[in-house]
Amino acid sequence: MRMFKGTLVAGLLSLLATTPVLAAELEISDARLRMLPGDRPGAGYFKLYNAGDEPAAVVGAETDAYASVELHMSMEKDGMAMMHGVERFEVPPGETREFAPQGYHLMFMKPQQSLNIGDEVEVRLILEGDERIETTFEVVSPAAL
């Protein structure tokens, strides 16, 4: 019996050591994918609330509907609109951050399927630590934003 208890305790400790940490407590709302005609990239916008006690950082995204998804930031410099890629987007605990036109957004590159206004696209946000949160983006017209 003593050997069984030792084996059971060792097994439980091993299980606890290999159990993944729960994903950050992020709530995603208003997820929209602004679709442009043809093979042009789409843009993703949403609100991200961190209900947890620790900062959370988005470091990427993925979907089967596009070949790749990139984090971008739009800005104006010397009267010219510009956009560049970013490596991470941090959300402090208890705060909401927004991916919006003329700010941070997702760029959906090279559509892999035909999409129409009103369609839904499953997207996985990739967090620091390689955790993923899945959400649904509604495909909208550029005029809708």
Side-chain angles (χ1 to χ4, degrees), residues 131-145:
E131 297 175 75
R132 284 166 170 69
I133 298 176
E134 191 159 320
T135 192
T136 303
F137 279 66
E138 179 185 358
V139 177
V140 298
S141 151
L145 301 175

Side-chain angles (χ1 to χ4, degrees), residues 10-64:
L12 288 173
L13 288 175
S14 173
L15 178 62
L16 289 173
T18 59
T19 301
V21 177
L22 295 176
E25 297 176 46
L26 295 176
E27 298 172 15
I28 302 165
S29 61
D30 297 329
R32 297 148 297 152
L33 192 162
R34 181 172 67 181
M35 185 181 73
L36 296 173
D39 278 349
R40 297 177 62 195
Y45 307 112
F46 56 97
K47 292 179 185 171
L48 194 58
Y49 172 68
N50 183 353
D53 297 329
E54 298 292 325
V58 177
V59 296
E62 59 191 12
T63 179
D64 295 336

Side-chain angles (χ1 to χ4, degrees), residues 5-6 12 14 21 28 41-42 53 55-56 59 64 71 86-87 97-98 107-108 113 121 124 128 136 141:
K5 285 182 184 176
L12 288 173
S14 173
V21 177
I28 302 165
D53 297 329
V59 296
D64 295 336
L71 292 172
V86 295
E87 292 188 23
R97 293 288 190 255
E98 190 169 358
M107 287 301 298
F108 292 89
Q113 61 193 51
V121 174
R124 292 166 300 282
E128 231 166 33
T136 303
S141 151

Side-chain angles (χ1 to χ4, degrees), residues 55-134:
V58 177
V59 296
E62 59 191 12
T63 179
D64 295 336
Y66 286 82
S68 66
V69 184
E70 301 173 4
L71 292 172
H72 278 221
M73 167 74 172
S74 293
M75 66 182 74
E76 190 173 308
K77 184 176 179 181
D78 299 327
M80 300 276 301
M82 300 175 56
M83 177 174 51
H84 64 87
V86 295
E87 292 188 23
R88 67 193 305 271
F89 178 86
E90 188 168 305
V91 184
E95 293 192 25
T96 299
R97 293 288 190 255
E98 190 169 358
F99 278 58
Q102 301 173 2
Y104 288 97
H105 58 278
L106 297 177
M107 287 301 298
F108 292 89
M109 313 298 277
K110 300 181 185 170
Q112 301 296 293
Q113 61 193 51
S114 177
L115 294 172
N116 297 301
I117 305 302
D119 285 349
E120 294 183 340
V121 174
E122 296 300 315
V123 176
R124 292 166 300 282
L125 295 182
I126 304 169
L127 307 178
E128 231 166 33
D130 205 31
E131 297 175 75
R132 284 166 170 69
I133 298 176
E134 191 159 320

